[in-house]
Structure formats: C-alpha cells, structure tokens
C-alpha cells in the first residue's frame, strides 16, 4: 500500500509539471488574446522591419509560462505539507489513546468502592470496581453469546479449569440480590464453554450461600449493525441491553462483571471485562511521515535541483 501511494504521488508530480506546457502549445489562443488589441506599427532598423507586436507576444507568453510554473511549484508543495500535518495529528491522537488505555487500566485495578443505590451515580462509574454482598438467583440465568475466554492461555492455565484452546461459549449473567443494599442487580459471572452452558453441567458453580462479589461496572450497549437482535424467548443475548435484561429478570438495570477471583472450578470463569482499545496510530504516523519525506524529496529534486523525473 505504501509503495502504491508513493508511485501515485510521483506520477502526479511528474505529470502535473508537464501538463501546463503541453496545454499552452495546444492553445495558442491564450497568447492571441493578450496581443489582439496591440496596433501594428512596423519600424525600420538597418533596412529591416521589426514587428514589436510579435516581440511583445513572445515576452508575454514567457512571462505567463513562468507564472504558471511558479503556481504549479507552490501548489505541489501542499502535498508534503499536508502529509506532515496529518502525521503530527496522528502523534497527538496516539498520545490521547495511550492515556485513555492507561486510565481504563487504572480504573479496573483500583480499590473497589461500595455500589451506590442511585442509578445516575452508577452510570458515572463505568469500568470502576465496586463490591457487593448477597445471593445469586440461578433460576433466571441469561446467556450472552457467542463469547470466547478473555486471555484463554493464561487464565485457563492458572485456573486449571478449561482447555487453553479458545473455545466459543457464553457469558453467564445471573440476578444477584444485594443483602446490604436491598436491591437485585445483574452480575456477569464470566465465561463457560459451549458444553457447560446448561446449569446442570456445572452444579458446583451454582453457589447458594451468601457471597462477596467484586466486579467492574458495565453500561448498556447499542447493537452494532452486524450483531443479531437479542432472542429473548430462547434466552440468547448478543449484546448488553440492560433494560430488556432487567425486564426479564426483575433486577435493576445495573450490571457488573465479576472479577477473576470469583472463578469457581467447573465455571464460570470471572474477569471477562475487555478493556483493549484499537491503537493503530503508530502505523498511521509512519505512513504519513513516510509520504511527507518521499514527496518532499520529489519536490526538491524537480523544482530546486531541476532533476528530470
């Protein structure tokens, strides 16, 4: 892709520098308009007649050609200037993205705080760790699918629960009654493989006792164009719709992702919060600055060194 852009820019620079002179040769009317109103007064010099109108026409044509070449020269300089500006903008964008990633990492590793009761206050805590205490209602489990295990090699090896192969499965979302707050919320308990989606295949994970849960606050998300609609009747959820999930389960529209410490042998595996953000700005920086360097050299060679390209 980079070599293609370079070839295209070089062709543009070369072709544009040849275009205007060729256009002038094919359009003599330009010079004619500049001289049509000049009277013809031939004068004798050493027995020969001199046509001052023709001399003026040639001088005007040369002056016009110089002005057009100068315009082309400075117009083409916009290419390296623009690519340099785009490269500098990508540098700033990369710094912003790195800062955002670091902030998210700080939030999900900070000390947990109590979950507030006010939903508006909860909405301000996205990616913030909170702690609650209560009991699960396993009879109203929801299944968010298809999902793969976050960092499967590391977590599977440490937990000794599933194979390290990235098998497709689901995230189990379970209503959780907070005994200390008196409300029921939704907890994403984590990942289970396809073979363990049904509760009877992981009975050890169906905890009945009161437990403490630390998790990351997640908000509802809009359905992307390529994501299917949630199938409520079949209990197949493809994206987080907290309003619909709360209607089905009777819980408040509050969801937290349980952290990895909640993992139970047999599943689910906690810690399934994905905080990775696309950061491709470095390759954009290299591309734009590379184009700037290449087009700057071509411009210098053509208009300063007068090298024939």
């Amino acid at each position: 892709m980079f070599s293609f852009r370079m070839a295209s820019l070089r062709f543009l620079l070369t072709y544009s520098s040849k275009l205007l002179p060729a256009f002038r040769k094919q359009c003599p009317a330009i010079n004619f308009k500049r001289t049509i109103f000049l009277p013809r007064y031939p004068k004798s010099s050493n027995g020969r007649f001199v046509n001052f109108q023709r001399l003026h026409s040639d001088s005007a044509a040369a002056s016009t050609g110089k002005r057009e070449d100068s315009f082309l020269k400075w117009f083409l300089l916009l290419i390296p200037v623009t690519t340099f500006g785009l490269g500098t903008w990508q540098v700033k964008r990369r710094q912003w993205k790195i800062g955002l990633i670091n902030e998210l990492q700080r939030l999900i590793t900070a000390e947990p705080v109590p979950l507030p009761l006010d939903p508006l206050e909860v909405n301000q805590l996205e990616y913030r760790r909170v702690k609650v205490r209560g009991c699960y209602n396993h009879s109203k489990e929801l299944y968010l699918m298809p999902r793969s295990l976050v960092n499967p090699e590391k977590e599977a090896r440490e937990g000794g629960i599933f194979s390290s192969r990235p098998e497709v499965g689901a995230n189990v979302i379970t209503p959780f009654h907070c005994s200390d707050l008196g409300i029921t919320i939704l907890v994403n308990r984590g990942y289970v493989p396809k073979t363990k989606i049904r509760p009877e295949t992981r009975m050890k994970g169906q905890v009945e006792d009161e437990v403490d849960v630390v998790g990351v606050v997640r908000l509802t998300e809009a359905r992307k164009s390529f994501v299917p609609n949630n199938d409520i009747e079949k209990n197949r959820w493809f994206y987080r719709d907290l309003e619909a999930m709360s209607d089905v389960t009777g819980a408040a529209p509050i969801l937290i992702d349980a952290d990895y410490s909640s993992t139970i042998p047999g599943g689910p595996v906690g810690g399934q919060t994905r905080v990775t953000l696309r950061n491709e700005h470095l390759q954009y920086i290299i591309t734009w600055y590379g184009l700037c360097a290449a087009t700057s050299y071509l411009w210098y060679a053509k208009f300063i060194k007068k090298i024939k390209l």
Side-chain angles (χ1 to χ4, degrees):
M1 180 62 71
F2 181 77
S3 60
F4 173 76
R5 292 176 181 174
M6 287 294 303
S8 300
L9 288 172
R10 181 172 181 176
F11 172 79
L12 176 64
L13 189 63
T14 305
Y15 180 75
S16 301
S17 63
K18 296 179 180 179
L19 182 62
L20 290 177
F23 181 76
R24 288 198 304 269
K25 291 181 180 180
Q26 296 178 4
C27 303
I30 296 176
N31 294 335
F32 175 75
K33 290 181 180 179
R34 294 181 179 274
T35 59
I36 189 171
F37 298 108
L38 292 178
R40 297 197 175 194
Y41 296 111
K43 293 185 179 181
S44 175
S45 175
N46 296 328
R48 301 178 63 182
F49 289 96
V50 178
N51 191 337
F52 286 99
Q53 179 184 1
R54 182 175 180 180
L55 291 177
H56 181 79
S57 177
D58 293 341
S59 176
S63 176
T64 301
K66 289 181 179 179
R67 286 197 299 270
E68 290 172 344
D69 290 342
S70 178
F71 171 78
L72 180 64
K73 172 182 177 181
W74 298 115
F75 177 76
L76 291 180
L77 186 61
L78 289 175
I79 298 176
V81 170
T82 302
T83 52
F84 178 82
L86 290 171
T88 303
W89 178 66
Q90 286 297 331
V91 169
K92 296 181 179 180
R93 288 281 296 174
R94 182 172 182 268
Q95 293 173 346
W96 168 80
K97 184 63 69 65
I98 291 175
L100 182 59
I101 293 173
N102 292 337
E103 177 64 16
L104 291 178
Q105 291 292 339
R106 185 189 67 80
L107 289 176
I108 66 172
T109 57
E111 286 296 319
V113 298
L115 179 69
L117 283 173
D118 186 357
L120 294 179
E121 189 176 349
V122 174
N123 290 339
Q124 303 299 319
L125 297 178
E126 186 175 18
Y127 289 110
R128 184 66 190 269
R129 297 178 76 212
V130 296
K131 57 183 178 180
V132 291
R133 181 173 180 81
C135 299
Y136 288 109
N137 181 1
H138 301 289
S139 64
K140 295 183 178 181
E141 284 184 350
L142 306 178
Y143 307 113
L144 192 62
M145 58 177 63
R147 293 294 186 271
S148 58
L149 186 63
V150 174
N151 197 359
E153 291 81 7
K154 179 180 178 181
E155 293 184 1
R157 190 181 307 115
E158 291 179 354
I161 301 169
F162 304 128
S163 168
S164 61
R165 183 174 54 191
E167 182 181 358
V168 174
N171 283 357
V172 178
I173 298 178
T174 308
F176 184 86
H177 182 72
C178 304
S179 56
D180 54 344
L181 299 176
I183 62 172
T184 299
I185 65 172
L186 297 169
V187 176
N188 177 9
R189 300 187 63 201
Y191 168 85
V192 293
K194 185 168 54 177
T195 57
K196 289 183 176 287
I197 292 179
R198 292 182 294 111
E200 56 268 25
T201 62
R202 45 181 170 82
M203 293 304 297
K204 291 183 179 180
Q206 306 301 87
V207 181
E208 300 292 342
D209 299 331
E210 190 173 74
V211 294
D212 292 314
V213 176
V214 174
V216 177
V217 174
R218 304 303 306 274
L219 303 182
T220 193
E221 61 181 345
R223 184 181 70 87
K224 297 181 176 61
S225 58
F226 56 87
V227 175
N229 289 314
N230 291 325
D231 191 338
I232 299 177
E233 293 183 359
K234 294 183 178 180
N235 195 9
R236 294 181 179 179
W237 302 79
F238 302 100
Y239 63 96
R240 293 190 310 274
D241 185 346
L242 299 190
E243 292 295 333
M245 290 177 171
S246 65
D247 289 341
V248 171
T249 60
I254 299 173
L255 173 68
I256 65 173
D257 288 343
D259 64 9
Y260 187 69
S261 64
S262 69
T263 299
I264 297 174
V269 179
Q272 299 301 299
T273 304
R274 298 180 183 271
V275 294
T276 56
L277 299 176
R278 292 182 62 186
N279 187 10
E280 300 176 350
H281 298 289
L282 181 59
Q283 69 182 51
Y284 297 150
I285 293 171
I286 295 173
T287 298
W288 288 123
Y289 278 155
L291 288 173
C292 175
T295 54
S296 296
Y297 170 77
L298 292 175
W299 186 88
Y300 176 79
K302 175 65 180 177
F303 295 107
I304 304 301
K305 286 294 188 178
K306 306 294 183 181
I307 299 175
K308 188 174 182 180
L309 300 176

